[in-house]
mmCIF file of all heavy atoms in Angstrom:
data_model
loop_
_atom_site.group_PDB
_atom_site.id
_atom_site.type_symbol
_atom_site.label_atom_id
_atom_site.label_comp_id
_atom_site.label_asym_id
_atom_site.label_seq_id
_atom_site.Cartn_x
_atom_site.Cartn_y
_atom_site.Cartn_z
ATOM 1 N N LYS A 1 0.807 -1.259 0.033
ATOM 2 C CA LYS A 1 -0.061 -0.057 -0.032
ATOM 3 C C LYS A 1 0.815 1.250 0.100
ATOM 4 O O LYS A 1 0.390 2.315 -0.442
ATOM 5 C CB LYS A 1 -0.909 0.033 1.145
ATOM 6 C CG LYS A 1 -2.071 -1.082 1.139
ATOM 7 C CD LYS A 1 -2.880 -0.996 2.405
ATOM 8 C CE LYS A 1 -4.079 -2.086 2.269
ATOM 9 N NZ LYS A 1 -4.980 -1.963 3.449
ATOM 10 N N THR A 2 2.041 1.105 0.494
ATOM 11 C CA THR A 2 2.823 2.365 0.619
ATOM 12 C C THR A 2 3.718 2.580 -0.649
ATOM 13 O O THR A 2 4.470 3.595 -0.705
ATOM 14 C CB THR A 2 3.861 2.230 1.802
ATOM 15 O OG1 THR A 2 4.623 1.080 1.618
ATOM 16 C CG2 THR A 2 2.986 2.074 3.120
ATOM 17 N N GLN A 3 3.654 1.734 -1.577
ATOM 18 C CA GLN A 3 4.533 1.883 -2.800
ATOM 19 C C GLN A 3 3.907 2.727 -3.832
ATOM 20 O O GLN A 3 2.746 2.710 -4.136
ATOM 21 C CB GLN A 3 4.722 0.446 -3.348
ATOM 22 C CG GLN A 3 5.419 -0.510 -2.451
ATOM 23 C CD GLN A 3 6.678 -0.029 -1.901
ATOM 24 O OE1 GLN A 3 7.522 0.438 -2.661
ATOM 25 N NE2 GLN A 3 6.928 -0.175 -0.614
ATOM 26 N N LEU A 4 4.785 3.600 -4.425
ATOM 27 C CA LEU A 4 4.349 4.465 -5.491
ATOM 28 C C LEU A 4 4.772 3.845 -6.720
ATOM 29 O O LEU A 4 5.877 3.572 -6.971
ATOM 30 C CB LEU A 4 5.050 5.860 -5.314
ATOM 31 C CG LEU A 4 4.693 6.678 -4.045
ATOM 32 C CD1 LEU A 4 5.485 7.898 -3.975
ATOM 33 C CD2 LEU A 4 3.157 6.958 -3.973
ATOM 34 N N LEU A 5 3.760 3.575 -7.660
ATOM 35 C CA LEU A 5 3.993 2.941 -8.820
ATOM 36 C C LEU A 5 3.876 3.787 -10.073
ATOM 37 O O LEU A 5 3.498 3.293 -11.130
ATOM 38 C CB LEU A 5 3.133 1.795 -8.927
ATOM 39 C CG LEU A 5 3.267 0.557 -7.949
ATOM 40 C CD1 LEU A 5 2.283 -0.505 -8.236
ATOM 41 C CD2 LEU A 5 4.707 0.094 -7.883
ATOM 42 N N THR A 6 4.202 5.055 -9.971
ATOM 43 C CA THR A 6 4.012 6.021 -11.099
ATOM 44 C C THR A 6 4.820 5.533 -12.236
ATOM 45 O O THR A 6 4.451 5.749 -13.364
ATOM 46 C CB THR A 6 4.269 7.416 -10.614
ATOM 47 O OG1 THR A 6 5.642 7.421 -10.034
ATOM 48 C CG2 THR A 6 3.298 7.951 -9.595
ATOM 49 N N ASP A 7 6.038 5.102 -11.997
ATOM 50 C CA ASP A 7 6.993 4.747 -13.015
ATOM 51 C C ASP A 7 6.433 3.465 -13.818
ATOM 52 O O ASP A 7 6.852 3.309 -14.937
ATOM 53 C CB ASP A 7 8.373 4.495 -12.556
ATOM 54 C CG ASP A 7 8.480 3.484 -11.377
ATOM 55 O OD1 ASP A 7 7.407 3.126 -10.836
ATOM 56 O OD2 ASP A 7 9.616 3.018 -11.134
ATOM 57 N N ILE A 8 5.625 2.688 -13.108
ATOM 58 C CA ILE A 8 5.106 1.486 -13.770
ATOM 59 C C ILE A 8 3.727 1.808 -14.434
ATOM 60 O O ILE A 8 3.493 1.499 -15.581
ATOM 61 C CB ILE A 8 4.905 0.306 -12.755
ATOM 62 C CG1 ILE A 8 6.247 -0.062 -12.064
ATOM 63 C CG2 ILE A 8 4.295 -0.852 -13.452
ATOM 64 C CD1 ILE A 8 6.126 -0.955 -10.962
ATOM 65 N N TYR A 9 2.866 2.450 -13.672
ATOM 66 C CA TYR A 9 1.498 2.702 -14.025
ATOM 67 C C TYR A 9 1.411 3.684 -15.246
ATOM 68 O O TYR A 9 0.691 3.453 -16.107
ATOM 69 C CB TYR A 9 0.752 3.236 -12.870
ATOM 70 C CG TYR A 9 -0.718 3.530 -13.187
ATOM 71 C CD1 TYR A 9 -1.614 2.678 -13.682
ATOM 72 C CD2 TYR A 9 -1.158 4.918 -13.035
ATOM 73 C CE1 TYR A 9 -2.924 2.970 -14.067
ATOM 74 C CE2 TYR A 9 -2.420 5.229 -13.401
ATOM 75 C CZ TYR A 9 -3.365 4.200 -13.840
ATOM 76 O OH TYR A 9 -4.584 4.622 -14.245
ATOM 77 N N HIS A 10 2.180 4.748 -15.183
ATOM 78 C CA HIS A 10 2.077 5.743 -16.154
ATOM 79 C C HIS A 10 2.384 5.373 -17.607
ATOM 80 O O HIS A 10 1.694 5.634 -18.513
ATOM 81 C CB HIS A 10 2.962 7.017 -15.846
ATOM 82 C CG HIS A 10 2.243 7.867 -14.712
ATOM 83 N ND1 HIS A 10 2.942 8.938 -14.102
ATOM 84 C CD2 HIS A 10 1.127 7.739 -14.065
ATOM 85 C CE1 HIS A 10 2.143 9.506 -13.197
ATOM 86 N NE2 HIS A 10 1.039 8.758 -13.156
ATOM 87 N N PRO A 11 3.490 4.536 -17.793
ATOM 88 C CA PRO A 11 3.710 4.088 -19.155
ATOM 89 C C PRO A 11 2.559 3.209 -19.681
ATOM 90 O O PRO A 11 2.295 3.176 -20.869
ATOM 91 C CB PRO A 11 4.958 3.257 -19.018
ATOM 92 C CG PRO A 11 5.667 3.706 -17.790
ATOM 93 C CD PRO A 11 4.526 4.095 -16.833
ATOM 94 N N LEU A 12 1.977 2.380 -18.759
ATOM 95 C CA LEU A 12 0.915 1.572 -19.237
ATOM 96 C C LEU A 12 -0.451 2.170 -19.201
ATOM 97 O O LEU A 12 -1.399 1.734 -19.864
ATOM 98 C CB LEU A 12 0.801 0.290 -18.236
ATOM 99 C CG LEU A 12 2.159 -0.548 -18.291
ATOM 100 C CD1 LEU A 12 2.060 -1.736 -17.283
ATOM 101 C CD2 LEU A 12 2.455 -1.117 -19.684
ATOM 102 N N LYS A 13 -0.606 3.314 -18.510
ATOM 103 C CA LYS A 13 -1.840 4.078 -18.518
ATOM 104 C C LYS A 13 -2.151 4.595 -19.862
ATOM 105 O O LYS A 13 -3.263 4.792 -20.218
ATOM 106 C CB LYS A 13 -1.743 5.228 -17.482
ATOM 107 C CG LYS A 13 -3.104 5.938 -17.257
ATOM 108 C CD LYS A 13 -2.973 7.022 -16.255
ATOM 109 C CE LYS A 13 -4.377 7.752 -16.033
ATOM 110 N NZ LYS A 13 -4.204 8.858 -15.008
ATOM 111 N N ALA A 14 -1.098 4.831 -20.697
ATOM 112 C CA ALA A 14 -1.248 5.293 -21.978
ATOM 113 C C ALA A 14 -2.118 4.220 -22.809
ATOM 114 O O ALA A 14 -2.640 4.590 -23.869
ATOM 115 C CB ALA A 14 -0.002 5.565 -22.668
ATOM 116 N N HIS A 15 -2.119 3.038 -22.345
ATOM 117 C CA HIS A 15 -2.920 1.949 -23.069
ATOM 118 C C HIS A 15 -4.251 1.839 -22.418
ATOM 119 O O HIS A 15 -4.996 0.822 -22.659
ATOM 120 C CB HIS A 15 -2.144 0.681 -22.973
ATOM 121 C CG HIS A 15 -0.817 0.805 -23.583
ATOM 122 N ND1 HIS A 15 -0.520 0.811 -24.946
ATOM 123 C CD2 HIS A 15 0.491 0.854 -23.015
ATOM 124 C CE1 HIS A 15 0.733 0.857 -25.180
ATOM 125 N NE2 HIS A 15 1.416 0.861 -24.077
ATOM 126 N N SER A 16 -4.607 2.736 -21.501
ATOM 127 C CA SER A 16 -5.883 2.753 -20.772
ATOM 128 C C SER A 16 -5.869 1.775 -19.572
ATOM 129 O O SER A 16 -5.325 0.728 -19.746
ATOM 130 C CB SER A 16 -7.121 2.569 -21.680
ATOM 131 O OG SER A 16 -7.344 1.207 -21.892
ATOM 132 N N ALA A 17 -6.397 2.177 -18.496
ATOM 133 C CA ALA A 17 -6.343 1.229 -17.307
ATOM 134 C C ALA A 17 -7.475 1.524 -16.352
ATOM 135 O O ALA A 17 -7.955 2.725 -16.248
ATOM 136 C CB ALA A 17 -5.027 1.493 -16.607
ATOM 137 N N SER A 18 -8.026 0.554 -15.734
ATOM 138 C CA SER A 18 -9.007 0.692 -14.571
ATOM 139 C C SER A 18 -8.397 0.098 -13.440
ATOM 140 O O SER A 18 -7.824 -0.887 -13.419
ATOM 141 C CB SER A 18 -10.331 0.016 -14.986
ATOM 142 O OG SER A 18 -10.044 -1.364 -15.183
ATOM 143 N N LEU A 19 -8.664 0.722 -12.220
ATOM 144 C CA LEU A 19 -7.968 0.323 -10.992
ATOM 145 C C LEU A 19 -9.047 -0.361 -10.055
ATOM 146 O O LEU A 19 -10.125 0.212 -9.930
ATOM 147 C CB LEU A 19 -7.319 1.438 -10.272
ATOM 148 C CG LEU A 19 -6.243 2.251 -11.109
ATOM 149 C CD1 LEU A 19 -5.639 3.406 -10.290
ATOM 150 C CD2 LEU A 19 -5.199 1.284 -11.666
ATOM 151 N N THR A 20 -8.597 -1.444 -9.338
ATOM 152 C CA THR A 20 -9.500 -2.071 -8.445
ATOM 153 C C THR A 20 -8.650 -2.390 -7.244
ATOM 154 O O THR A 20 -7.711 -3.108 -7.414
ATOM 155 C CB THR A 20 -10.109 -3.325 -8.927
ATOM 156 O OG1 THR A 20 -10.925 -3.036 -10.148
ATOM 157 C CG2 THR A 20 -11.028 -3.924 -7.953
ATOM 158 N N ASP A 21 -9.027 -1.973 -6.037
ATOM 159 C CA ASP A 21 -8.263 -2.283 -4.851
ATOM 160 C C ASP A 21 -8.838 -3.634 -4.231
ATOM 161 O O ASP A 21 -9.944 -3.642 -3.762
ATOM 162 C CB ASP A 21 -8.553 -1.192 -3.801
ATOM 163 C CG ASP A 21 -7.638 -1.499 -2.543
ATOM 164 O OD1 ASP A 21 -6.994 -2.527 -2.432
ATOM 165 O OD2 ASP A 21 -7.609 -0.680 -1.555
ATOM 166 N N LEU A 22 -8.090 -4.707 -4.490
ATOM 167 C CA LEU A 22 -8.504 -6.075 -4.039
ATOM 168 C C LEU A 22 -7.571 -6.422 -2.910
ATOM 169 O O LEU A 22 -6.575 -6.962 -3.088
ATOM 170 C CB LEU A 22 -8.433 -6.990 -5.177
ATOM 171 C CG LEU A 22 -9.275 -6.656 -6.433
ATOM 172 C CD1 LEU A 22 -9.046 -7.631 -7.497
ATOM 173 C CD2 LEU A 22 -10.759 -6.682 -5.984
ATOM 174 N N THR A 23 -8.101 -6.224 -1.615
ATOM 175 C CA THR A 23 -7.240 -6.608 -0.495
ATOM 176 C C THR A 23 -7.396 -8.086 -0.084
ATOM 177 O O THR A 23 -6.600 -8.632 0.640
ATOM 178 C CB THR A 23 -7.529 -5.751 0.653
ATOM 179 O OG1 THR A 23 -8.996 -5.965 0.937
ATOM 180 C CG2 THR A 23 -7.258 -4.261 0.444
ATOM 181 N N ILE A 24 -8.376 -8.726 -0.733
ATOM 182 C CA ILE A 24 -8.492 -10.134 -0.510
ATOM 183 C C ILE A 24 -8.563 -10.869 -1.924
ATOM 184 O O ILE A 24 -8.725 -10.179 -2.916
ATOM 185 C CB ILE A 24 -9.776 -10.531 0.211
ATOM 186 C CG1 ILE A 24 -11.050 -9.999 -0.496
ATOM 187 C CG2 ILE A 24 -9.742 -10.029 1.690
ATOM 188 C CD1 ILE A 24 -12.276 -10.315 0.204
ATOM 189 N N PHE A 25 -8.435 -12.128 -1.958
ATOM 190 C CA PHE A 25 -8.338 -12.882 -3.211
ATOM 191 C C PHE A 25 -9.666 -13.387 -3.709
ATOM 192 O O PHE A 25 -9.725 -14.193 -4.759
ATOM 193 C CB PHE A 25 -7.305 -14.009 -3.188
ATOM 194 C CG PHE A 25 -5.895 -13.548 -3.142
ATOM 195 C CD1 PHE A 25 -4.940 -14.391 -2.741
ATOM 196 C CD2 PHE A 25 -5.522 -12.252 -3.526
ATOM 197 C CE1 PHE A 25 -3.552 -13.984 -2.690
ATOM 198 C CE2 PHE A 25 -4.200 -11.820 -3.492
ATOM 199 C CZ PHE A 25 -3.239 -12.699 -3.044
ATOM 200 N N GLU A 26 -10.731 -13.031 -3.089
ATOM 201 C CA GLU A 26 -12.016 -13.540 -3.523
ATOM 202 C C GLU A 26 -12.296 -13.158 -5.023
ATOM 203 O O GLU A 26 -12.310 -11.988 -5.280
ATOM 204 C CB GLU A 26 -13.109 -12.890 -2.659
ATOM 205 C CG GLU A 26 -14.551 -13.511 -2.870
ATOM 206 C CD GLU A 26 -15.579 -12.954 -2.007
ATOM 207 O OE1 GLU A 26 -15.189 -12.211 -1.039
ATOM 208 O OE2 GLU A 26 -16.755 -13.180 -2.191
ATOM 209 N N GLY A 27 -12.659 -14.159 -5.725
ATOM 210 C CA GLY A 27 -12.965 -13.925 -7.127
ATOM 211 C C GLY A 27 -11.768 -13.927 -8.072
ATOM 212 O O GLY A 27 -11.993 -14.102 -9.281
ATOM 213 N N LEU A 28 -10.498 -13.852 -7.496
ATOM 214 C CA LEU A 28 -9.415 -13.825 -8.467
ATOM 215 C C LEU A 28 -9.198 -15.145 -9.146
ATOM 216 O O LEU A 28 -8.648 -15.218 -10.298
ATOM 217 C CB LEU A 28 -8.160 -13.492 -7.655
ATOM 218 C CG LEU A 28 -7.845 -12.023 -7.377
ATOM 219 C CD1 LEU A 28 -6.566 -11.804 -6.625
ATOM 220 C CD2 LEU A 28 -7.936 -11.199 -8.658
ATOM 221 N N ASP A 29 -9.607 -16.282 -8.522
ATOM 222 C CA ASP A 29 -9.413 -17.599 -9.122
ATOM 223 C C ASP A 29 -10.329 -17.856 -10.278
ATOM 224 O O ASP A 29 -10.171 -18.869 -10.997
ATOM 225 C CB ASP A 29 -9.607 -18.764 -8.039
ATOM 226 C CG ASP A 29 -10.893 -18.582 -7.363
ATOM 227 O OD1 ASP A 29 -11.556 -17.574 -7.451
ATOM 228 O OD2 ASP A 29 -11.245 -19.597 -6.759
ATOM 229 N N HIS A 30 -11.266 -16.958 -10.498
ATOM 230 C CA HIS A 30 -12.189 -17.095 -11.643
ATOM 231 C C HIS A 30 -11.830 -16.039 -12.712
ATOM 232 O O HIS A 30 -12.489 -15.966 -13.765
ATOM 233 C CB HIS A 30 -13.676 -16.877 -11.170
ATOM 234 C CG HIS A 30 -14.087 -17.808 -10.176
ATOM 235 N ND1 HIS A 30 -14.151 -19.152 -10.397
ATOM 236 C CD2 HIS A 30 -14.525 -17.596 -8.908
ATOM 237 C CE1 HIS A 30 -14.566 -19.769 -9.304
ATOM 238 N NE2 HIS A 30 -14.874 -18.886 -8.402
ATOM 239 N N GLN A 31 -10.702 -15.376 -12.570
ATOM 240 C CA GLN A 31 -10.236 -14.379 -13.603
ATOM 241 C C GLN A 31 -9.031 -14.902 -14.302
ATOM 242 O O GLN A 31 -8.215 -15.668 -13.697
ATOM 243 C CB GLN A 31 -9.966 -13.053 -12.991
ATOM 244 C CG GLN A 31 -11.201 -12.392 -12.326
ATOM 245 C CD GLN A 31 -10.934 -11.085 -11.852
ATOM 246 O OE1 GLN A 31 -10.380 -10.194 -12.543
ATOM 247 N NE2 GLN A 31 -11.325 -10.736 -10.582
ATOM 248 N N ASN A 32 -8.856 -14.530 -15.486
ATOM 249 C CA ASN A 32 -7.687 -14.900 -16.244
ATOM 250 C C ASN A 32 -6.820 -13.754 -16.582
ATOM 251 O O ASN A 32 -7.248 -12.830 -17.301
ATOM 252 C CB ASN A 32 -8.142 -15.596 -17.569
ATOM 253 C CG ASN A 32 -8.811 -16.971 -17.279
ATOM 254 O OD1 ASN A 32 -8.323 -17.757 -16.498
ATOM 255 N ND2 ASN A 32 -9.997 -17.171 -17.877
#
């Protein structure tokens, strides 16, 4: 939570992005 990912997120944001804060893994096993 304390990490700043601007150097990662900004280059990829140019390709459009949506953010979701998932603090638990519920539902992740059904995503690819």
